[in-house]
Amino acid sequence: MRGEPLDAEMIVSATEEVLRRHGPEKTTVLDVARLLGVSHGSVYRHFPSKAALREAVIRRWLDRVRDDFAAAAQDSGLAPPDRLRGLLTTMFAAKWAKAREDPELFATFRVLAAEHSSVSSAHVAFLLAQIRAIVADGIAGGDFAAGEPDVIARAVFDATSRFHDPMHAAEWSSPAAAAEAEGVISLILDGIRAR
């Protein structure tokens, strides 16, 4: 048994390590407890379930990339079309890198996205809000055609899903993926620009 007090952050770090070793399907709360040298009951005092543990791990990762996404979306030195391009390419790059560099943890993200977890849903809502803000600025500034920012943001998000939805991760390693993503972004920007 461990001597130092157990906290949620220690448990999340241990869970991340176990997920990398065993993947989301085979990881158990007992595995996490074993790694920490505590009883599984100690882990359950902080997290009520395996699903809650997985969500905490993914929430931590998404919180780390959230600042990068927000910075791209809110770059006041760029016009709205360039901000939208920057946000989308930053979003794609972060997810592609995670899928390539940390496939086991990305598999957990894919599971949570498929389950429509609260963490996954909050991430989608955050991304839609960033896109919506850029679109609203573009409409107000005359860069984008008039329209409903919420509807346009959802359409942009949906039109680019192949490049950010974890269900499409197998396609991201294609040599053509970056060029295809750029083609879709260019088409979207042309479609929403003011005429």
Side-chain angles (χ1 to χ4, degrees):
M1 299 303 275
R2 68 185 300 112
E4 61 188 284
L6 186 66
D7 65 17
E9 194 59 32
M10 293 167 70
I11 296 169
V12 170
S13 293
T15 303
E16 194 171 301
E17 186 175 331
V18 173
L19 282 165
R20 284 191 178 104
R21 285 185 200 168
H22 304 295
E25 273 72 32
K26 294 183 180 178
T27 294
T28 67
V29 173
L30 190 56
D31 294 328
V32 174
R34 208 175 284 131
L35 179 64
L36 290 167
V38 299
S39 71
H40 65 284
S42 296
V43 175
Y44 279 124
R45 278 194 275 287
H46 293 272
F47 296 94
S49 66
K50 175 182 166 180
L53 270 173
R54 291 188 315 195
E55 286 203 351
V57 168
I58 297 306
R59 182 179 300 112
R60 180 163 73 175
W61 171 59
L62 292 174
D63 286 348
R64 288 178 192 147
V65 297
R66 182 176 289 216
D67 291 341
D68 293 338
F69 296 166
Q74 298 164 7
D75 186 344
S76 60
L78 296 176
D82 294 324
R83 285 173 40 214
L84 184 56
R85 182 183 303 280
L87 172 61
L88 293 173
T89 56
T90 300
M91 186 170 77
F92 303 164
K95 290 186 179 180
W96 294 4
K98 192 63 157 180
R100 183 179 59 253
E101 297 163 7
D102 202 349
E104 295 82 8
L105 201 55
F106 193 80
T108 302
F109 180 57
R110 187 175 19 237
V111 167
L112 292 178
E115 293 172 353
H116 303 289
S117 73
S118 62
V119 171
S120 177
S121 297
H123 177 63
V124 168
F126 168 79
L127 293 173
L128 285 169
Q130 298 303 305
I131 296 168
R132 185 205 179 285
I134 295 170
V135 168
D137 288 350
I139 291 169
D143 293 298
F144 298 149
E148 178 53 48
D150 288 323
V151 173
I152 296 168
R154 174 50 86 171
V156 168
F157 185 81
D158 291 345
T160 59
S161 67
R162 179 172 164 232
F163 306 107
H164 61 79
D165 186 317
M167 299 307 136
H168 294 279
E171 301 170 33
W172 300 342
S173 60
S174 163
E180 291 168 354
E182 180 55 37
V184 170
I185 292 170
S186 294
L187 184 65
I188 288 168
L189 289 172
D190 186 55
I192 64 175
R193 75 179 168 87
R195 309 263 183 235

